[in-house]
Amino acid sequence: MESTTQKFMQYVSKMQNYNEAIATLAWDLRTGAPRKGMEQRSEVIGTLSEEVFRMSTSKEMEEFLSILATSETPLDPIVQGTIKECKKEFERSKKIPAPLYKEYVITTSKAETIWEEAKEKSDFAMFQPYLEKIVSLTTEFIQHWGYKGSKYNTLLDMYEPGITVEQLDPIFVKLRQSTVPLVASIAESNHQPDISFLTKEFPPHDQREFSLLILKEMGYDFAAGRLDESVHPFATGLNPRDVRITTKYNPDDFRTAIFGTIHEGGHALYEQNIDPKYIGTPLCDGSSMGIHESQSRFWENIVGRSKPFWKKYFTNLTQFFPNQLNGVSLETFYRGINRVEPSLIRIEADELTYNLHIMIRYEIEKGLFDGGLNVADLPQIWNEKMKEYLGVVPTNDADGVLQDVHWAGGSFGYFPSYSLGNIYAAQFTHRLRSVMPEYDQYIQQGNLQPIKNWLTEQIYQYGKSQEPLEILRRVTGEEINPSYLIHYLENKYKDIYGL
Amino acid sequence: MESTTQKFMQYVSKMQNYNEAIATLAWDLRTGAPRKGMEQRSEVIGTLSEEVFRMSTSKEMEEFLSILATSETPLDPIVQGTIKECKKEFERSKKIPAPLYKEYVITTSKAETIWEEAKEKSDFAMFQPYLEKIVSLTTEFIQHWGYKGSKYNTLLDMYEPGITVEQLDPIFVKLRQSTVPLVASIAESNHQPDISFLTKEFPPHDQREFSLLILKEMGYDFAAGRLDESVHPFATGLNPRDVRITTKYNPDDFRTAIFGTIHEGGHALYEQNIDPKYIGTPLCDGSSMGIHESQSRFWENIVGRSKPFWKKYFTNLTQFFPNQLNGVSLETFYRGINRVEPSLIRIEADELTYNLHIMIRYEIEKGLFDGGLNVADLPQIWNEKMKEYLGVVPTNDADGVLQDVHWAGGSFGYFPSYSLGNIYAAQFTHRLRSVMPEYDQYIQQGNLQPIKNWLTEQIYQYGKSQEPLEILRRVTGEEINPSYLIHYLENKYKDIYGL
């Protein structure tokens, strides 16, 4: 048994090595790989992914899982967790024929490249056949996997185990019922923030320097990471000792880069602080997308858009942009960066209307898999929903249906995690504030390490060895509860808008 | 048979996909991968390399080679060439036990990282155990492979098929017998170039911009490549549509970056212009290291340090560095960049003394494998040979024995290719001048495309489908002949030094 366990863990570690290679190749594709090489690169990623898929569904894996299931000696918890993840993967993967999976990997890899060009040209028709193919392949996958209730539940479960449309619908309703009237009151408030200082010229070089400064303050370890540029910012944890993030420098608006960086930095803190004992196993990852997003959203919004944070860092920012911020007070700045306005781009949306962007994507995804919605109709549906929820309509698809990379990568079911992340983050913060009365004071002093340490101790270190609800219950003593987020948002924005 | 051929070519294409992944991971390690992740990355590269090694020596490969050897229908030339390369690799690889090979890959990957740090600290002792291990593993390899005459011949053959110590010794003697007295006359000339303008302050950003300009002029395709920075400049052809180069910006001397860039750009032109029909086969590569170096050295020295080249581009350079080059005439510039002076660093050596640097490495390598030379004695031997051939001695190992990455990567037998490259390049140029009388005129007009096109037609397009001597004979009608290089160097430097 000892020797089987060792062989199993070596086998799994080999798969993890392949995964690191794939993640590095994907990072490279998105941070400056030459255009002409992209098609061949997709083949390379396809070959490696096929091998990981083969290993995860092999006779060898089947035998390992079967032998280890009958183990009489107690197994190490890491081995147990690894078996659990491999078994889940095995059962999911063995239902998909290998050529179908390869086709999916190659299609999504190419689609990401095409999406980038289509977005640049604002040409949905260019991207449409790829998206149709991805939806059709995903639908085939769901048929192979099976589903309970909605087909979409099977996709949701991949990102947030156990979450269903049936659970999510009332949570989103409750959140919408609070958000929509609040947004309406805000629109009517006669205490609107000054935002003229947001849209001056901010040289990308200085934005980068300030982003680096904030990452350092957060405790991001640059010896175990790097900051690059990409069209859509992302974080990728190759392993806890190499966690890379990207951002995007908008020369007319520093918010894109700074809050994007803090967001991805939050993901990165999570990945960098997973206990290294999990390296080489599938437990060396975040617990779920929702828990992951709770960390990026916590750092971006709850910390990064708070008054105590800017009481500390506004001075630094004015050193980088003395002319642009000349005469802007801290209060004006704080209210400006928290201005609420229904807008077109999700990643640039304010904290309050953000969840409405998610609901649009959530409903489109439900429609694609359960509601008979056609891909060809997406630009129109998108625009209709934008009008309905946010009251604004994009004039081109680049600012609309083409704005996010997720669908090009086949990540259906991912978007709801962002809002779940907001909900979890508010729950964690409530708990953190009650055990750390100095919370605001620490932030105001630029002493972010006690907060990072608490999160590491409570969440980060465990990686994927605990399930999201297990973590939520252990840390907060509660189930998923949107009330904390609603309360936080109402308090914050009523204060800002004098309501 | 048809189906066996197809399966064989798919099998080989899969290996090439792994090789592209490995090359990308290695590129990443050398262009900014986070320090803490390097050890884990070495494991990943080790895993993939082990898989390529396994595939190249598998029963499946053995069967393919055996079945295809008996083919009665004539095989496509690409298939034939692929069989030839796979057979060579199979016979070489199957003699090395797989764990020994994995140890070698992991050791060299780690050694490259350690070398970088050792060089920074000028601490040979830090690097020594790694180098000892690499020499010892390589010696074991030679035992497994067998050898004729010198053990070192087996290593030379890997970079330049057919070349032996017995052939190389007289070629190097002839070259040394011409170089040493010429260097001596130059030292005594009273017509020394002014070089004061070389060591002003040249902002890296401007060096980069000028490097990009020259690469564009050479016909380097940026949609199929990119320019980055690394400690030791290199070119890596992932495939003809993704050929990346790096350079190094020395703020006190623009020559490092510019001539380094042109050098790597020469390698890159070769790789970018291999016929795409070879993609996915081992023929999608340079013919040999020597032929590869003939192209980098041709572009760097024969074109890039020629008077016609600067008649065209000196104006551009002065636009980037107007103050630094204020009052410098074209003639002064040309003579300055071609100044001959025995110096410490190979990659910064002038064209004439360069071959003496190679001879030192060549003799040390012979010593390590045939002469009982100990790694521990390398710093001393290095310094003694520097004194003997070049009359200068480094004061620290960073400027001496630690200066090159090659040994850290296990590339023994590679260095002679640089001088062979110089020799081939002079032979090719002699031929090119005779078929293209407008050669100097084209360069002077900045019309480099006819030259690139001739090289593509004569050399680049064939990739590895022809052997080095086959190419040399077809293009020049001759065997290896150092006389053209000697003649070129004597003409050029007697003119510059008024001898």
Side-chain angles (χ1 to χ4, degrees):
Chain A
M1 189 59 71
E2 181 61 17
S3 149
T4 303
T5 306
Q6 277 172 2
K7 280 185 194 157
F8 169 65
M9 294 307 278
Q10 276 166 15
Y11 185 87
V12 170
S13 156
K14 187 174 169 186
M15 287 169 66
Q16 292 304 111
N17 282 346
Y18 275 81
N19 282 331
E20 175 165 335
I22 293 165
T24 311
L25 295 174
W27 168 86
D28 178 68
L29 264 186
R30 292 172 69 184
T31 55
R35 178 175 54 75
K36 289 185 183 173
M38 285 181 172
E39 196 165 329
Q40 178 61 20
R41 175 61 63 82
S42 299
E43 298 291 331
V44 175
I45 291 176
T47 295
L48 295 179
S49 301
E50 196 181 27
E51 181 63 13
V52 174
F53 185 78
R54 190 197 64 71
M55 288 182 77
S56 70
T57 55
S58 67
K59 275 257 177 295
E60 243 171 312
M61 176 61 88
E62 192 167 18
E63 277 167 26
F64 278 132
L65 294 175
S66 135
I67 294 170
L68 292 169
T70 65
S71 169
E72 283 174 8
T73 49
L75 295 168
D76 176 271
I78 295 181
V79 177
Q80 284 178 35
T82 302
I83 292 170
K84 184 184 151 199
E85 291 301 322
C86 289
K87 195 166 176 236
K88 201 196 281 179
E89 185 65 20
F90 179 81
E91 286 173 357
R92 179 150 46 212
S93 299
K94 74 169 181 183
K95 294 178 179 167
I96 308 295
L100 190 68
Y101 182 68
K102 188 180 181 185
E103 195 183 353
Y104 174 81
V105 171
I106 291 175
T107 305
T108 50
S109 182
K110 280 185 190 161
E112 286 185 346
T113 307
I114 297 293
W115 163 77
E116 211 162 295
E117 208 181 328
K119 185 182 169 182
E120 206 172 291
K121 297 179 179 164
S122 194
D123 180 359
F124 182 76
M126 188 177 169
F127 180 52
Q128 184 184 322
Y130 290 86
L131 188 54
E132 279 167 350
K133 184 81 193 159
I134 296 170
V135 170
S136 136
L137 288 167
T138 305
T139 304
E140 273 194 80
F141 281 19
I142 297 173
Q143 295 298 343
H144 286 290
W145 286 324
Y147 56 95
K148 281 184 194 164
S150 304
K151 288 184 194 163
Y152 185 52
N153 283 342
T154 298
L155 303 177
L156 284 174
D157 190 69
M158 290 175 63
Y159 299 98
E160 210 60 19
I163 287 284
T164 62
V165 166
E166 293 70 28
Q167 276 177 287
L168 216 45
D169 279 348
I171 289 173
F172 279 171
V173 166
K174 193 170 175 188
L175 190 54
R176 193 158 64 234
Q177 280 172 350
S178 151
T179 305
V180 170
L182 184 55
V183 173
S185 310
I186 284 170
E188 286 162 17
S189 159
N190 52 18
H191 190 50
Q192 295 293 331
D194 172 15
I195 54 154
S196 57
F197 64 90
L198 295 173
T199 48
K200 300 202 170 165
E201 197 184 322
F202 299 91
H205 176 77
D206 294 325
Q207 293 191 44
R208 177 172 159 85
E209 290 303 311
F210 185 75
S211 298
L212 292 171
L213 181 150
I214 293 297
L215 283 172
K216 205 176 162 203
E217 291 289 307
M218 287 168 69
Y220 176 79
D221 181 355
F222 282 95
R226 51 183 282 172
L227 175 65
D228 294 270
E229 276 186 77
S230 65
V231 173
H232 187 98
F234 66 98
T236 184
L238 307 176
N239 68 64
R241 294 174 181 136
D242 190 347
V243 182
R244 304 178 181 197
I245 59 184
T246 69
T247 193
K248 181 183 164 181
Y249 304 108
N250 181 346
D252 303 327
D253 188 340
F254 65 87
R255 288 175 300 176
T256 313
I258 290 171
F259 294 106
T261 301
I262 301 177
H263 178 98
E264 302 307 334
H267 283 303
L269 286 189
Y270 192 173
E271 298 269 342
Q272 284 188 335
N273 292 291
I274 293 172
D275 193 322
K277 72 183 176 187
Y278 295 119
I279 289 177
T281 79
L283 308 181
C284 200
D285 197 354
S287 172
S288 71
M289 286 304 145
I291 298 289
H292 232 310
E293 288 300 324
S294 78
Q295 295 314 301
S296 52
R297 309 299 288 175
F298 169 76
W299 286 101
E300 178 190 352
N301 289 328
I302 299 181
V303 175
R305 291 185 206 262
S306 72
K307 204 180 286 181
F309 184 82
W310 290 105
K311 275 187 181 161
K312 169 69 186 173
Y313 296 108
F314 185 58
T315 312
N316 298 88
L317 191 70
T318 55
Q319 281 160 0
F320 282 100
F321 306 113
N323 298 326
Q324 296 91 330
L325 296 174
N326 187 22
V328 177
S329 72
L330 170 61
E331 184 66 20
T332 302
F333 179 82
Y334 168 69
R335 295 183 66 235
I337 59 165
N338 281 297
R339 184 215 197 185
V340 171
E341 188 185 47
S343 66
L344 299 175
I345 307 294
R346 177 184 59 87
I347 60 163
E348 292 171 7
D350 58 78
E351 187 179 11
L352 185 61
T353 57
Y354 187 91
N355 296 312
L356 300 173
H357 287 267
I358 295 307
M359 291 175 204
I360 290 171
R361 288 153 178 80
Y362 170 66
E363 287 172 23
I364 286 178
E365 292 187 347
K366 285 200 295 181
L368 284 172
F369 296 99
D370 290 292
L373 188 60
N374 290 319
V375 169
D377 298 331
L378 254 53
Q380 194 198 327
I381 300 284
W382 182 281
N383 293 357
E384 286 168 9
K385 295 228 177 250
M386 283 297 290
K387 191 163 174 58
E388 186 187 344
Y389 288 162
L390 288 145
V392 289
V393 181
T395 55
N396 63 66
D397 291 337
D399 291 338
V401 69
L402 283 174
Q403 70 183 265
D404 293 308
V405 72
H406 302 60
W407 293 340
S411 304
F412 300 106
Y414 187 121
F415 281 119
S417 316
Y418 291 108
S419 287
L420 280 170
N422 284 331
I423 292 165
Y424 295 151
Q427 291 186 259
F428 291 140
T429 307
H430 180 77
R431 174 67 188 165
L432 174 56
R433 280 180 171 282
S434 73
V435 298
M436 192 184 285
E438 314 87 340
Y439 170 85
D440 281 329
Q441 196 187 321
Y442 283 160
I443 293 178
Q444 194 168 324
Q445 291 164 348
N447 181 14
L448 305 176
Q449 291 325 289
I451 296 171
K452 188 193 97 175
N453 293 343
W454 185 82
L455 292 165
T456 296
E457 187 192 296
Q458 296 289 319
I459 304 171
Y460 300 166
Q461 62 163 323
Y462 296 102
K464 208 182 175 67
S465 72
Q466 298 194 352
E467 297 221 327
L469 287 177
E470 212 175 335
I471 293 173
L472 193 68
R473 284 184 203 120
R474 179 175 47 72
V475 178
T476 71
E478 284 196 68
E479 302 297 314
I480 305 180
N481 182 349
S483 304
Y484 296 98
L485 178 61
I486 291 169
H487 186 70
Y488 156 80
L489 291 171
E490 287 185 346
N491 264 1
K492 178 172 175 179
Y493 289 96
K494 283 181 177 169
D495 170 57
I496 289 173
Y497 281 88
L499 301 172
Chain B
M1 188 59 72
E2 180 61 17
S3 150
T4 303
T5 305
Q6 277 172 1
K7 280 184 193 158
F8 170 65
M9 293 307 277
Q10 276 165 15
Y11 186 87
V12 170
S13 157
K14 186 174 169 186
M15 288 169 65
Q16 291 305 110
N17 282 346
Y18 275 80
N19 282 331
E20 175 166 336
I22 293 165
T24 310
L25 295 174
W27 169 86
D28 179 68
L29 264 186
R30 293 171 70 184
T31 54
R35 178 175 54 76
K36 289 185 182 173
M38 285 180 172
E39 197 167 328
Q40 179 61 20
R41 175 61 62 83
S42 299
E43 299 289 331
V44 175
I45 291 176
T47 295
L48 295 178
S49 302
E50 196 181 26
E51 181 62 15
V52 174
F53 184 79
R54 189 196 65 71
M55 288 183 76
S56 70
T57 55
S58 67
K59 275 256 176 296
E60 243 172 312
M61 176 61 87
E62 193 168 17
E63 278 169 25
F64 279 132
L65 294 175
S66 138
I67 294 170
L68 293 169
T70 65
S71 170
E72 281 174 10
T73 48
L75 296 168
D76 176 272
I78 295 181
V79 176
Q80 284 178 36
T82 301
I83 292 170
K84 186 183 150 199
E85 290 301 322
C86 288
K87 197 168 173 232
K88 203 196 280 180
E89 185 65 20
F90 178 80
E91 286 173 357
R92 182 153 41 213
S93 299
K94 74 169 180 181
K95 293 178 179 167
I96 308 295
L100 190 69
Y101 182 68
K102 188 182 182 185
E103 195 182 353
Y104 174 82
V105 172
I106 291 175
T107 305
T108 50
S109 181
K110 281 184 189 161
E112 286 185 346
T113 307
I114 297 292
W115 164 78
E116 212 163 295
E117 206 180 330
K119 185 180 170 183
E120 206 171 291
K121 296 178 178 165
S122 194
D123 180 358
F124 182 77
M126 188 177 168
F127 180 53
Q128 185 184 321
Y130 291 86
L131 188 53
E132 279 167 349
K133 184 80 193 161
I134 296 170
V135 170
S136 137
L137 288 166
T138 305
T139 304
E140 274 193 80
F141 280 19
I142 297 173
Q143 294 298 344
H144 286 290
W145 286 325
Y147 56 94
K148 280 184 193 164
S150 304
K151 289 182 193 162
Y152 186 52
N153 283 343
T154 298
L155 302 177
L156 284 173
D157 191 69
M158 290 174 64
Y159 299 98
E160 211 59 19
I163 287 286
T164 62
V165 166
E166 293 69 28
Q167 276 177 285
L168 216 45
D169 279 348
I171 288 172
F172 279 171
V173 166
K174 194 171 176 189
L175 190 53
R176 193 158 65 233
Q177 279 172 350
S178 150
T179 305
V180 170
L182 184 55
V183 172
S185 310
I186 284 170
E188 285 163 16
S189 158
N190 51 19
H191 191 51
Q192 295 293 332
D194 172 15
I195 54 154
S196 57
F197 64 90
L198 295 173
T199 49
K200 299 201 170 165
E201 198 184 321
F202 300 91
H205 175 77
D206 294 325
Q207 294 191 44
R208 178 172 159 85
E209 290 302 312
F210 186 75
S211 297
L212 291 171
L213 181 150
I214 293 297
L215 283 172
K216 205 175 161 203
E217 291 289 307
M218 287 168 68
Y220 176 79
D221 181 355
F222 282 95
R226 49 182 284 171
L227 176 65
D228 293 271
E229 275 188 76
S230 65
V231 173
H232 188 98
F234 67 97
T236 185
L238 307 176
N239 69 65
R241 295 174 181 136
D242 189 348
V243 182
R244 303 177 182 197
I245 59 184
T246 69
T247 192
K248 181 183 162 180
Y249 304 108
N250 182 346
D252 304 325
D253 188 341
F254 65 88
R255 289 174 299 176
T256 313
I258 290 171
F259 294 107
T261 301
I262 301 177
H263 178 98
E264 303 307 336
H267 283 303
L269 286 190
Y270 192 173
E271 298 269 344
Q272 283 188 335
N273 292 290
I274 295 172
D275 193 323
K277 72 183 177 187
Y278 295 119
I279 289 178
T281 80
L283 307 181
C284 199
D285 197 355
S287 172
S288 71
M289 287 302 144
I291 299 288
H292 232 309
E293 288 299 324
S294 78
Q295 294 315 300
S296 52
R297 309 300 286 174
F298 169 77
W299 286 101
E300 177 190 352
N301 289 329
I302 299 180
V303 175
R305 291 184 205 262
S306 72
K307 203 180 288 181
F309 184 81
W310 290 106
K311 275 188 181 159
K312 169 68 187 173
Y313 296 107
F314 186 57
T315 312
N316 298 88
L317 191 70
T318 55
Q319 282 161 358
F320 281 100
F321 305 114
N323 298 325
Q324 297 91 329
L325 296 174
N326 188 24
V328 177
S329 72
L330 170 62
E331 183 65 18
T332 302
F333 178 82
Y334 169 68
R335 294 184 66 235
I337 60 164
N338 282 296
R339 184 214 196 187
V340 171
E341 188 184 45
S343 66
L344 300 174
I345 308 294
R346 176 183 61 85
I347 59 163
E348 291 171 8
D350 59 78
E351 187 179 12
L352 185 61
T353 58
Y354 187 91
N355 296 311
L356 300 173
H357 287 268
I358 295 307
M359 291 174 204
I360 290 171
R361 289 153 179 79
Y362 170 66
E363 287 172 22
I364 286 178
E365 292 186 347
K366 283 200 297 182
L368 284 172
F369 296 98
D370 291 292
L373 188 59
N374 289 320
V375 168
D377 298 330
L378 253 54
Q380 195 198 326
I381 302 283
W382 182 281
N383 293 357
E384 286 168 10
K385 295 228 178 252
M386 282 297 290
K387 192 165 173 56
E388 186 187 342
Y389 288 161
L390 287 145
V392 289
V393 181
T395 54
N396 64 65
D397 292 336
D399 291 337
V401 68
L402 283 175
Q403 70 183 264
D404 293 309
V405 72
H406 302 59
W407 293 339
S411 304
F412 301 106
Y414 186 120
F415 281 118
S417 318
Y418 291 108
S419 286
L420 280 170
N422 285 331
I423 292 164
Y424 295 152
Q427 292 187 258
F428 290 140
T429 307
H430 180 77
R431 175 67 189 165
L432 173 55
R433 280 180 172 282
S434 73
V435 297
M436 191 185 284
E438 314 87 339
Y439 170 86
D440 281 329
Q441 197 188 320
Y442 283 159
I443 294 178
Q444 194 169 323
Q445 291 163 348
N447 182 12
L448 304 176
Q449 292 324 290
I451 296 172
K452 190 194 94 174
N453 293 344
W454 185 82
L455 291 166
T456 296
E457 185 193 299
Q458 295 289 320
I459 303 171
Y460 301 165
Q461 62 162 322
Y462 295 102
K464 209 181 174 69
S465 72
Q466 297 195 352
E467 297 221 328
L469 286 177
E470 212 174 336
I471 294 172
L472 193 68
R473 284 185 203 118
R474 177 174 48 71
V475 177
T476 71
E478 284 197 68
E479 301 296 314
I480 304 180
N481 182 350
S483 304
Y484 296 99
L485 177 62
I486 291 169
H487 186 68
Y488 156 79
L489 291 171
E490 287 185 346
N491 264 3
K492 176 172 177 180
Y493 289 97
K494 283 181 177 167
D495 170 56
I496 289 173
Y497 281 89
L499 300 173

